Amino acid sequence: MDAANQSPRRLATSIGVTCKTVERWLADAQLVPHARNREDAARALGVDEDMLWPKSVKERLKSGGDLEIVQSYPYRSAAPSTLWGSLIEESRKDLFLSGYTNYFFWTLVPAFSQVLRRKVKDGVRVRFLLGDPNAEVTRQREAIEDVALTVSTRIHMTLEELKRLRDLEGLEVHFSAPEDAVNHVSLSVFRFDEQELVTPHLARQVGHDSPLMHLRQVKQGGMFDRFSEHAEELWSRSRPVGEPAF
C-alpha cells in the first residue's frame, strides 16, 4: 500500500468498501475477501491478487464438490468473530439469518442493531427466520441440550432486541411453520448475498459447539444453492411474528 501511495481509507473508497473492511483485511491474514474485492484491490494497488492473498490460489485449485467451500471449522465458535462482521458489512442485497434462535449476533457483532438499521436503509433485504419459542420441538430441543440458557430463552432474547427495531420499515421477522420446526432446529443457514455460513446441529450440541462451513456461490446447483433452497423453502411456509411476541 505504501508503494502505491494508498491509505486504507483511500483504498476503501476506490474499491467501494468501508475503511473498516480494509482494516480487517490488514489485521487478519486469514481473511480472504470476495473475489470481486480482491480483483479491485489488486488493480488499485497495481499488483497480482495472489501476492496479496496467497490463500486464494488454493481456492482456485479446488475442484468438484469442494469448489464452493471457502473454509470449514469443527466448531462454530472457532470461526473468527471478524468473519461474521465482514460478511454482514459486505452484504449489498440479501441478509438472511435463519438460525433457530439467532441470539448470538448481538454478542458477536458490535452495535449489531445499528448495523441492521443501516443495512435496511441502504436497501438490503434483511430477514430473520426464528423458531417458535412455544413450539413442541423447542421444548424437545431444550430437554436434549439441557443447558441453563434454554432455546426458548435465546429466542426471546432475539425478539427483545428486534422489538427495539419495530419502527424499521422493511425488516422481516418470521417464525418457521410447525411442520418445518425439526428441519429448522437441526440446520442453521446464514446467507450474505453470494456467501453463506452453515451449521448442522449435532446431537446434544448447542450451536457454538456444532461445526460450521463457509460457502461461496460459484455455480448454479452447487452446495450454496442447495442450502439456500432449504432456507427459502422454510421461509415460504413461515408466518410473520406479531403481537404479543413482537
Side-chain angles (χ1 to χ4, degrees):
M1 289 178 63
D2 290 338
N5 194 29
Q6 291 271 17
S7 66
R9 184 175 299 279
R10 183 177 297 176
L11 179 61
T13 301
S14 66
I15 64 178
V17 299
T18 66
C19 185
K20 287 185 178 180
T21 297
V22 174
E23 291 171 350
R24 281 193 291 268
W25 296 346
L26 295 172
D28 189 348
Q30 296 303 309
L31 282 179
V32 178
H34 190 278
R36 182 183 64 251
N37 290 336
R38 295 200 308 267
E39 293 170 3
D40 291 344
R43 188 179 303 111
L45 296 174
V47 297
D48 192 284
E49 71 174 82
D50 298 339
M51 178 181 174
L52 301 175
W53 292 284
K55 188 177 176 182
S56 66
V57 176
K58 295 181 180 179
E59 292 184 346
R60 290 200 297 271
L61 294 178
K62 291 179 180 179
S63 61
D66 69 344
L67 188 64
E68 296 190 317
I69 301 176
V70 177
Q71 185 62 278
S72 62
Y73 304 89
Y75 301 90
R76 191 184 74 193
S77 55
S81 60
T82 53
L83 173 63
W84 298 86
S86 62
L87 289 175
I88 292 170
E89 192 64 45
E90 292 170 12
S91 297
R92 295 290 179 265
K93 298 177 295 183
D94 193 14
L95 181 58
F96 186 14
L97 307 179
S98 65
Y100 201 77
T101 69
N102 290 307
Y103 84 104
F104 66 92
F105 281 100
W106 279 269
T107 62
L108 190 67
V109 180
F112 184 54
S113 290
Q114 287 86 341
V115 173
L116 291 176
R117 285 188 178 277
R118 178 161 46 81
K119 286 296 170 182
V120 171
K121 291 179 180 178
D122 287 346
V124 178
R125 185 184 187 190
V126 178
R127 291 181 287 171
F128 282 81
L129 181 63
L130 302 171
D132 187 335
N134 299 313
E136 178 61 27
V137 167
T138 300
R139 288 191 287 272
Q140 292 172 357
R141 185 65 192 179
E142 289 180 339
I144 291 171
E145 291 184 358
D146 191 25
V147 295
L149 191 60
T150 64
V151 177
S152 58
T153 297
R154 301 197 303 262
I155 295 172
H156 282 300
M157 290 170 64
T158 298
L159 290 171
E160 284 301 314
E161 294 290 348
L162 291 173
K163 280 181 181 179
R164 299 183 175 93
L165 299 171
R166 280 182 296 186
D167 63 310
L168 188 57
E169 186 176 351
L171 178 66
E172 302 173 68
V173 183
H174 285 205
F175 284 146
S176 55
E179 63 268 27
D180 290 324
V182 171
N183 292 328
H184 188 191
V185 78
S186 61
L187 179 66
S188 294
V189 179
F190 308 100
R191 190 169 77 227
F192 316 88
D193 291 346
E194 290 82 27
Q195 298 192 63
E196 283 176 336
L197 297 176
V198 177
T199 295
H201 296 274
L202 303 181
R204 298 178 180 274
Q205 303 299 313
V206 295
H208 63 263
D209 284 335
S210 293
L212 179 141
M213 289 188 297
H214 179 187
L215 305 176
R216 179 184 292 118
Q217 187 183 39
V218 174
K219 59 181 181 179
Q220 297 297 315
M223 291 184 66
F224 176 94
D225 284 351
R226 297 297 305 280
F227 285 114
S228 290
E229 289 164 3
H230 166 85
E232 290 294 350
E233 183 176 351
L234 298 185
W235 182 263
S236 71
R237 289 188 292 270
S238 65
R239 60 180 176 86
V241 174
E243 297 291 351
F246 186 52

